[in-house]
Every structure is written in structure tokens, then in C-alpha cells.
Amino acid sequence: MIQCLRSFILFLVMILWLFSCQKLPDKQVVNTNVFSMNHPNFHSDLQYKIQKIYTDYQIQGDVVFAIVDSSGLAYSYIVNKDVLEKRPTKYNDESPLYIASHTKSFTGTLLKILEEQGEIDLNASVKKYLPELHLNDKIDLDRITVKQLLNHTHGLFNTQLAWKTAFLGYSGNNIELIEDFNNDFQYDSSHQFRYSNVGPILAAMIVEKVSGKSWKQCMQDEIFNPLQMRGTTTEVSDFEKNEIMPSYTIDGSNSIVNSGFFKDDITMHASGGVLSSVSDLSKWICANINQEKNLLTQESWNELHTSTTRQDRTYFTYHRNGYSLGWDVATYQNDTILTRFGGLAGISFHASFIPKKKVGIIAFSNDSRAYLLPHLLANYAYNYLFRPTHADSIFKKELALFQESFEKENEIRYPLQDNVLVVADSINPILGRYVNDKGWPDITLMTKDDHYIFKWGIQEGVVYMNGEAYQADLGVMQRDFLIENDSLFTGSLNYIKE
């Protein structure tokens, strides 16, 4: 009897051990399976449309698409030449991609978190937190609040700050940017909505003042870690650059003018400085859909998702009527939709969600001509889910808008390889370092192999002849310049040879 009881207990232990060793179904896998069962034809319908556009328009690079619901990632799909030619692709839901200006939604959320913690008062003045920003006492900064920095009604602008943080780089010290601002600024006293990178960057300086930590560290501590966004970062150096989905600038002959990822750690800022992945971004969109309490109270989430100022503009098919602290509040097909897009060179990033329907979209493309493609695909998915009988007819109308935009981009003329400036003794006097007395980064002209290189701050590129002027292809931009004697002129900037 005792032996039987021992055998029975041993049997139970074995069963329990075997059960514990079984891997429970992954929550994300379960959610994608549920979506697939509920919408059995969605993948084939979307796949057909994406692949047809990719082929018909000879798209280059990558197209990424995902649907998020209240349970997380529900669907994802990646298209590129490897996929179309049935080869393994290097990219998946964990691959790093640049979200550009969608960073602003993260920064707005961070400031709201710090307000809940009692670190920052969004209704307090900029002067309270940044007294060193005095603008030569020409503007009363007591009348501009931190909230206005986030919702783009502060009225302040500085070209150097915008260019140094986004493209050219700088010392990394906020004092340099503040001095630039104090010495040369523009101001719109109407305080109407005027979108730019400046406000969130100044807000990030305030974060650093009150927390004693960098904006980058606060993002990690207050948002990425709580949401377990382990593949999300504000540092390019956390990856090898060839791991990051690049941008492609494509000309009218379907040739690649340039490609790459044109950011470094120093140009990852509070208005455009986050690398993430489909997997991680699904956690972020899901947190917004569910207004998850591990980040914020419902009251704070409501302010993040509600207009704090008016705007009246249309982008593609979205009528933007307001702006919160980091999201455009818009309407699409009579639904209120929150969007925050982003772009750099050929990269176009889409993130949106419809609060009442608890569904969001993540989409990405990196062909410079196809910047509307993520929005077109997002709209198709929303219509497929919520207006299925009209989805195809709406898509057809919106495809015409995409085609019109694509054709305009195809007409842009880029430097021709035949016009590369070849090294010659008669041209070599232009070589050297040029400095600007207004604080702009140095420009260096040098040779590489048989051609010339124009280096401006952290950006550099090949020099071409453009009529009687020179033109540098810096990847993120083409920049014309002239040299007369020992002076270099580019746009309104004057440089002197050192």
C-alpha cells in the first residue's frame, strides 16, 4: 500500500515536472494567431497590394508594416527584393529602424511622467528652468511655458540649434546651443502652432536640469525599461550601422543616388533621436491604446491624447485639427486618429492609433520617392478592418495621390556621376579647412582617391560640379557652395579659409 502511494506521488511529480517544462504559448504568437483567424484574407490582400506597388513603381529598399491592438502586436509583414525573390531577408520584427520625429511623442510622455513625479511643472515658465536662455532680454520668457515647448506654440526658433542637433553635430554641451540661441533667434509673437524641432529639444534641456540625468538616460529609465523595450535606444553606437535599416535616395532612372544611415550619437535628439523595432514599438503603441498605468495615470494619458492647441492643416488624407504634447490629433474617415510621423532622407515612418477602436499601425519605408507609402498602407488596413466594403475603392483613390507624389519625387534632379569633380592641380587650391565666425561647424575640403570630399560637421560627401558652382552630396541633403579667393559661401553662410 505504501509502495503504491509512493509510486502515485512519484507519478504526480513527474507529470508536474513535465508540465512545467512545456513552453507556454508566447503572448505575441497567440495574438497574431487570433488576428489571423479573425481576418483570414487580410495577409493575402495586403501582400498583393504591397508587392504590386513595389513592382509597379520599382520601389527600392524595404517596406515594413504592422498592426497593433490592445493585446500587442497582431500582424507584421516586411517586403524587399529578397522577399520578392524568395530569398531570406536580414530584417525581422527585432531589426532596428529610425523613427525620426515620432520621438516627439516619447519626449512629451517623458515630460508628463516627470510632472507626475513632481520634477517638472509643465505650466511653469521656461525662464524658471533655463535662466541662461535670456535672448538678450528681447523676449519675456516668463510668458512661455514648458507645455508650449511641447505643443509648438512657444514661437521660438534658431536655425543653428536645429541644424547642429539634426545634421551637423556639435560639442554635446547644451551651453553651446544656448549661446547660439541667445545670439541669433527668430520669434513668432502670435504663439500659434508652428511645428519645429526646437521646443522638445529645449524641453530636454529642462529634463537634464531638474533630473541631473541626460534626456537619453531618462528615456531609458522612465519609458523603455518599464515597457521592456529592450531593443530601443537613443544611441546609434548601440548597433553596427549596417544593422539599421538605411535610407535610399533614388532618382528618376531608378538608380540609387546614395544610401546609408546619416545619424550619429550626437545628432540623436529629443525631437528625432530614437531607434526601435516593430516588436518594441508594438509595446509602445499598445501602452498608448490601453493607457497603461505603469507609465501614467489615466488623467495624464488623457492630456497626452487630447489637443492642447489648435492647428488646421491637411497631410495626405489626415486633417490635423489639434496637437497634444507629442501627437497630432486628426480625423480620418470620421474617426479621431492620433498620428506622429517622421522622416529623414529617404526614411518615412508612420505611427498612429484610433483610440476608440483600440487599433494602431506601424509602417516604414526607405525609398525617397515613396514617402507616402506607409500612410497609404495604414489607411488600407484601417479601412479593411472598419469599412471593409469600401476599403478597395478608398485605396484606389488614395493610390492616385501616392502616384502623383511619387512622380513629383521622380522629377527631382540629382548630381550625375559624370559631374563628379575629379582631382586636378588647378582645383587643389580649394583644399583646406574653412571656419565660420558665427559658430557654425567647420567645413573641410579634402581628396579621396581621384575626387574631392566636402566635410561639414559630421556629414561628408562627394563634390560635383553644378553649373558654375560646386555641389556636395551629404546624404541627408545636397549643398551648393562657391569659393572665391579664400572665402567659401554656402547659402547665407560665409566661411574663411583657415
Side-chain angles (χ1 to χ4, degrees):
M1 181 71 178
I2 294 174
Q3 183 65 36
C4 290
L5 182 60
R6 285 176 178 170
S7 298
F8 180 69
I9 292 172
L10 181 61
F11 173 75
L12 285 177
V13 170
M14 290 284 292
I15 292 295
L16 290 171
W17 179 80
L18 287 169
F19 180 77
S20 68
C21 291
Q22 296 299 310
K23 185 177 180 182
L24 294 176
D26 182 83
K27 180 181 177 183
Q28 181 172 303
V29 172
V30 170
N31 198 41
T32 54
N33 288 341
V34 169
F35 181 86
S36 179
M37 287 189 294
N38 290 338
H39 308 282
N41 297 321
F42 178 78
H43 176 69
S44 59
D45 291 348
L46 179 77
Q47 182 184 51
Y48 172 77
K49 284 181 166 55
I50 294 181
Q51 292 191 2
K52 181 169 173 53
I53 289 173
Y54 200 103
T55 303
D56 288 353
Y57 291 88
Q58 296 183 289
I59 302 293
Q60 304 270 14
D62 313 281
V63 180
V64 177
F65 181 83
I67 296 176
V68 182
D69 61 22
S70 59
S71 296
L73 183 62
Y75 173 85
S76 65
Y77 184 52
I78 294 175
V79 175
N80 51 35
K81 287 186 177 179
D82 287 335
V83 171
L84 292 180
E85 295 172 10
K86 303 190 184 307
R87 299 191 301 262
T89 177
K90 64 183 285 189
Y91 297 125
N92 55 43
D93 289 346
E94 308 300 329
S95 298
L97 54 84
Y98 179 57
I99 70 171
S101 283
H102 186 74
T103 302
K104 294 178 176 71
S105 67
F106 281 98
T107 298
T109 302
L110 173 63
L111 269 289
K112 197 64 183 169
I113 290 170
L114 294 179
E115 183 180 54
E116 277 200 354
Q117 295 174 357
E119 297 276 355
I120 290 176
D121 178 1
L122 297 188
N123 293 311
S125 73
V126 172
K127 187 174 183 179
K128 172 183 176 180
Y129 296 111
L130 295 177
E132 61 271 37
L133 182 68
H134 52 72
L135 306 181
N136 294 317
D137 297 324
K138 293 181 179 179
I139 305 297
D140 184 2
L141 292 179
D142 274 326
R143 299 172 64 87
I144 299 175
T145 66
V146 180
K147 182 180 289 186
Q148 287 177 297
L149 295 179
L150 296 174
N151 69 13
H152 306 288
T153 61
H154 51 86
L156 301 170
F157 188 75
N158 176 270
T159 305
Q160 273 180 287
L161 179 146
W163 279 60
K164 284 181 177 181
T165 54
F167 308 122
L168 305 178
Y170 62 106
S171 65
N173 194 325
N174 288 340
I175 293 174
E176 176 184 341
L177 302 178
I178 293 290
E179 287 181 357
D180 290 341
F181 221 131
N182 286 333
N183 293 328
D184 183 20
F185 62 89
Q186 298 87 49
Y187 178 59
D188 178 3
S189 60
S190 73
H191 291 277
Q192 293 182 350
F193 178 86
R194 181 185 180 188
Y195 180 87
S196 77
N197 284 348
V198 169
I201 291 173
L202 290 177
M205 294 182 190
I206 292 173
V207 168
E208 296 184 14
K209 288 284 288 290
V210 302
S211 70
K213 298 186 293 187
S214 69
W215 164 81
K216 294 184 176 186
Q217 187 60 53
C218 285
M219 290 278 279
Q220 191 71 48
D221 293 345
E222 305 296 344
I223 300 179
F224 303 158
N225 288 345
L227 295 181
Q228 299 184 36
M229 298 173 69
R230 297 187 178 92
T232 301
T233 180
T234 56
E235 301 284 10
V236 176
S237 58
D238 285 343
F239 299 102
E240 296 294 330
K241 276 203 174 178
N242 61 8
E243 295 179 281
I244 302 168
M245 289 189 184
S247 66
Y248 294 91
T249 301
I250 313 296
D251 66 15
S253 65
N254 209 42
S255 298
I256 298 175
V257 177
N258 58 56
S259 65
F261 183 65
F262 305 106
K263 285 277 186 179
D264 287 311
D265 289 349
I266 192 61
T267 52
M268 296 290 276
H269 56 82
S271 281
V274 172
L275 289 163
S276 191
S277 65
V278 166
S279 179
D280 273 6
L281 288 165
S282 68
K283 299 172 184 177
W284 164 244
I285 298 298
C286 187
N288 278 269
I289 288 173
N290 294 330
Q291 299 191 342
E292 292 180 5
K293 302 301 187 294
N294 64 329
L295 284 190
L296 288 163
T297 64
Q298 185 172 348
E299 182 181 355
S300 292
W301 277 116
N302 288 341
E303 184 169 3
L304 279 171
H305 295 161
T306 304
S307 296
T308 59
T309 188
R310 288 181 54 79
Q311 60 170 314
D312 184 10
R313 60 194 68 205
T314 297
Y315 177 78
F316 188 42
T317 58
Y318 314 104
H319 178 241
R320 294 170 172 171
N321 49 60
Y323 194 91
S324 64
L325 300 178
W327 292 89
D328 290 288
V329 182
T331 56
Y332 175 68
Q333 297 291 334
N334 296 319
D335 283 322
T336 295
I337 182 171
L338 272 68
T339 72
R340 181 87 299 272
F341 306 148
L344 177 77
I347 289 171
S348 177
F349 177 78
H350 174 113
S352 66
F353 69 100
I354 299 177
K356 286 188 176 180
K357 293 177 176 174
K358 295 187 177 299
V359 171
I361 303 290
I362 301 159
F364 172 97
S365 69
N366 50 13
D367 182 322
S368 59
R369 305 163 301 171
Y371 68 91
L372 288 183
L373 182 55
H375 316 314
L376 175 68
L377 298 177
N379 289 356
Y380 174 69
Y382 283 131
N383 291 323
Y384 189 101
L385 296 176
F386 306 125
R387 289 165 285 274
T389 58
H390 302 292
D392 284 332
S393 60
I394 296 172
F395 178 81
K396 185 176 180 180
K397 292 177 182 177
E398 294 181 355
L399 181 62
L401 298 176
F402 168 80
Q403 180 173 342
E404 180 182 350
S405 169
F406 189 92
E407 289 173 352
K408 285 182 180 177
E409 293 296 314
N410 248 344
E411 293 172 0
I412 296 175
R413 294 291 175 259
Y414 294 100
L416 300 173
Q417 281 301 115
D418 292 344
N419 294 336
V420 170
L421 188 63
V422 178
V423 171
D425 290 341
S426 60
I427 302 174
N428 282 343
I430 71 172
L431 296 174
R433 185 180 182 185
Y434 296 80
V435 297
N436 172 267
D437 63 3
K438 303 296 184 184
W440 285 84
D442 295 346
I443 291 173
T444 302
L445 283 160
M446 51 194 173
T447 59
K448 181 179 181 181
D449 300 327
D450 64 344
H451 56 270
Y452 293 92
I453 296 292
F454 179 97
K455 187 175 189 300
W456 191 13
I458 67 168
Q459 304 292 347
E460 63 178 63
V462 175
V463 178
Y464 298 80
M465 287 304 301
N466 183 24
E468 296 183 0
Y470 301 112
Q471 185 176 58
D473 181 4
L474 301 178
V476 290
M477 70 183 96
Q478 279 73 43
R479 190 73 181 182
D480 289 343
F481 65 99
L482 291 167
I483 297 178
E484 295 179 0
N485 299 320
D486 285 335
S487 295
L488 184 151
F489 305 92
T490 177
S492 60
L493 301 178
N494 298 339
Y495 280 76
I496 302 296
K497 193 171 186 179
E498 192 176 51

